[in-house]
Amino acid sequence: MNAWIVREPGPLAEQPLRWVLRPVPSRDSGELLVRVLACGVCRTDLHLAEGDLPAHRRPVVPGHEVVGEVVACDPAATGFDLGERVGIPWLRGTCGRCGFCLRGRENLCPRSRFTGWDADGGYAEFTTVPAAYAYRLPAGYTDAEVAPLLCAGVIGYRAWRRARVPAGGVLGLYGFGASAHLTAQVAVAGGARVHVLTRSARARALALDLGAATAGGLADEPPEPLDSAVLFAPVGELVPVALAALRRGGTLAIAGIHLTTIPELDYQRHLFHERALCSVTANTRGDGVDFLRFADRHRLRVTTTPYRLDRADAALRDLADDRVHGAAVLLPGG
């Protein structure tokens, strides 16, 4: 099969992704073999390729927003039939025995494994997934539309929950890419007034089209104090900016797996009056199930930019340079 691998992470200019021929993967106990129909391109893939995240496996096939068709099932894999469409997310495995797993916080399991980091992912024509970590997908979405829901959507949904947006509250979104454009729709459906701050004029237009109350530049102040905010842009310098925009008791959730250095914070200005700062770490399977049920009930508008599978390197370059509108999606069938 054709696949992309990251052998040695490095700057995109040094071409860390390599287009190769390799055997179709064999499935382990409890796993499904899946023919890839679409794979979303996540900023985490960019961090892995460039080495912002430490390599867990070399070489590795990136990609963890995978929509596929089940073509083979291990006898121990239950719950899915041959020919069924399934979703493969970032979270691939947990120990099931630690305190975090037993308390329903499996996203914090110290022995977690992740698709496209610890095991080969979806930048390929075939991949595998443990059946216990695969998702059933909502109807009414194309393969390209549903792929970004599997990480961008789920992580945005968890970040929205972590931000503790009050009923009828005001939410600020800093950065407006694949995840934020879905989170905005969740928040609007929940009755929040959403203010978007992003450097892309095209993204600002999309935000307004999706129901945001206002859309301004990253350097702008929101037009009113925020009850909650989610930082999607991986820019540490925006943390004090977003904290200063919160009203008393507000919460800022940082949605990314990687963030540049946060500048010094001033306690009185940024944290006093019970303002809260929290991170978002992966997601539980329950988060994914809840969000996909939401997407089934509320028809989300998923904005995508398609790329052929053999142009994954171009998709990552465009993502790095903010040239992707909505979510980039790789399509093996062309």
Side-chain angles (χ1 to χ4, degrees), residues 87-279:
I88 302 177
W90 174 236
L91 185 66
R92 184 182 180 89
T94 56
C95 74
R97 300 182 300 275
C98 70
F100 296 111
C101 288
L102 295 177
R103 293 194 296 268
R105 304 185 72 186
E106 65 180 2
N107 61 305
L108 300 180
C109 174
R111 288 181 283 281
S112 297
R113 301 182 73 246
F114 301 99
T115 307
W117 196 9
D118 298 289
D120 290 335
Y123 284 29
E125 293 177 310
F126 293 89
T127 191
T128 63
V129 61
Y133 289 82
Y135 288 129
R136 283 194 165 78
L137 299 176
Y141 294 87
T142 66
D143 298 332
E145 288 173 331
V146 79
L149 303 185
L150 296 167
C151 179
V154 175
I155 290 297
Y157 185 76
R158 184 173 180 86
W160 169 71
R161 283 177 159 177
R162 292 275 286 162
R164 301 185 302 181
V165 186
V170 181
L171 173 66
L173 300 180
Y174 290 81
F176 202 74
S179 191
H181 97 283
L182 297 170
T183 307
Q185 296 177 69
V186 172
V188 169
R193 189 160 60 256
V194 176
H195 300 294
V196 169
L197 300 110
T198 183
R199 64 185 182 183
S200 166
R202 193 178 185 191
R204 291 195 290 271
L206 176 61
L208 294 173
D209 193 39
L210 293 175
T214 66
L218 278 176
D220 296 342
E221 291 187 12
E224 60 183 321
L226 306 174
D227 294 301
S228 307
V230 179
L231 175 60
F232 289 101
V235 183
E237 287 84 355
L238 291 175
V239 170
V241 173
L243 285 171
L246 293 175
R247 69 172 80 244
R248 297 181 180 202
T251 299
L252 169 63
I254 301 174
I257 193 173
H258 171 76
L259 191 72
T260 59
T261 301
I262 300 173
E264 183 175 291
L265 298 177
D266 179 276
Y267 178 70
Q268 295 294 330
R269 184 181 179 197
H270 299 127
L271 293 172
F272 193 52
H273 295 304
E274 300 193 354
R275 295 181 181 89
L277 171 63
C278 67
S279 65

Side-chain angles (χ1 to χ4, degrees), residues 2 14 19 32 40 47 83 150 159 206 221 236 254 270 283 318 329:
N2 291 301
E14 296 177 6
W19 180 240
L32 310 170
H47 295 315
L150 296 167
L206 176 61
E221 291 187 12
I254 301 174
H270 299 127
N283 61 274
D318 288 349
V329 179

Side-chain angles (χ1 to χ4, degrees), residues 287-308:
D287 292 326
V289 170
D290 289 348
F291 172 68
L292 292 173
R293 284 176 178 164
F294 178 94
D296 199 27
R297 295 192 306 269
H298 303 265
R299 183 62 171 86
L300 299 174
R301 287 176 53 189
V302 187
T303 301
T304 63
T305 301
Y307 294 81
R308 294 193 316 266

